[in-house]
Amino acid sequence: MKAVIQRVKNASVEVDGKTVGEIGQGLLVFLGVGQEDNEKIAEKIVDKIYGMRIFEDENEKTNLSSSDIGAEILVISQFTLCANCRKGNRPSFIEAAPPDKANELYEYVVSLFKERFKKTETGIFGADMKVSLLNDGPFTIVLDSKELAI
């Protein structure tokens, strides 16, 4: 599982010209589900994201977590994070989970975030989405479950 986490002042996602998800200060998370991913890995990713101290305290040090500031979260499914670009110029997506499995794990991740964040918004799985954001920093972190102690 791969996640690109962006600390944002605000973010939104549109499908067919209609806003389907919108947050204020918090995190925009693009989530890619791979062939090998499962609920245990999903739980670890959610715990890591929720506990990350990436918000500034009164001394402008990144000492605060999402829970400390009452952050909101927008979660966007993005299978292209699982692209394999080792050969040639055309990315291969065979490492991405099949749509049914990916959607199931994506929805599981969203349910876990809903238990933790005061506001959890999403895009629409498999849709052509237009994402807008005001990155705060900029501050962007990339997580790969293969690099985390699971």
Side-chain angles (χ1 to χ4, degrees):
M1 194 168 287
K2 294 182 181 180
V4 174
I5 302 120
Q6 296 189 322
R7 187 178 74 185
V8 298
K9 291 288 187 184
N10 59 66
S12 63
V13 59
E14 289 185 5
V15 174
D16 296 328
K18 179 183 173 201
T19 300
V20 296
E22 186 173 26
I23 62 165
Q25 183 182 23
L27 301 175
L28 170 59
V29 176
F30 295 101
L31 186 72
V33 178
Q35 294 272 358
E36 308 291 320
D37 292 331
N38 57 43
E39 288 186 357
K40 183 177 181 181
I41 290 170
E43 291 162 6
K44 185 67 175 180
I45 287 278
V46 168
D47 289 344
K48 180 63 88 174
I49 292 170
Y50 187 65
M52 288 174 59
R53 298 184 317 169
I54 61 173
F55 294 96
E56 294 178 354
D57 63 16
E58 65 278 356
N59 298 315
E60 298 182 355
K61 301 289 183 192
T62 52
N63 284 324
L64 303 177
S65 68
S66 295
S67 63
D68 294 326
I69 69 149
E72 299 177 356
I73 189 167
L74 175 59
V75 188
I76 305 292
S77 175
Q78 188 171 347
F79 79 94
T80 60
L81 291 176
C82 298
N84 180 327
C85 298
R86 287 187 278 275
K87 294 181 183 177
N89 292 322
R90 184 176 183 187
S92 168
F93 299 105
I94 61 172
E95 294 176 18
D100 289 348
K101 177 183 178 182
N103 189 31
E104 182 179 317
L105 280 172
Y106 168 73
E107 292 296 337
Y108 182 63
V109 166
V110 169
S111 73
L112 295 174
F113 281 136
K114 285 182 177 181
E115 293 173 2
R116 293 166 174 83
F117 284 82
K118 70 177 187 175
K119 181 178 182 182
T120 301
E121 296 281 312
T122 66
I124 296 175
F125 185 89
D128 179 22
M129 296 177 272
K130 308 302 179 207
V131 180
S132 299
L133 68 131
L134 179 57
N135 196 311
D136 183 12
F139 204 109
T140 303
I141 303 277
V142 178
L143 287 182
D144 185 334
S145 63
K146 293 176 182 171
E147 297 172 2
L148 299 176
I150 304 282

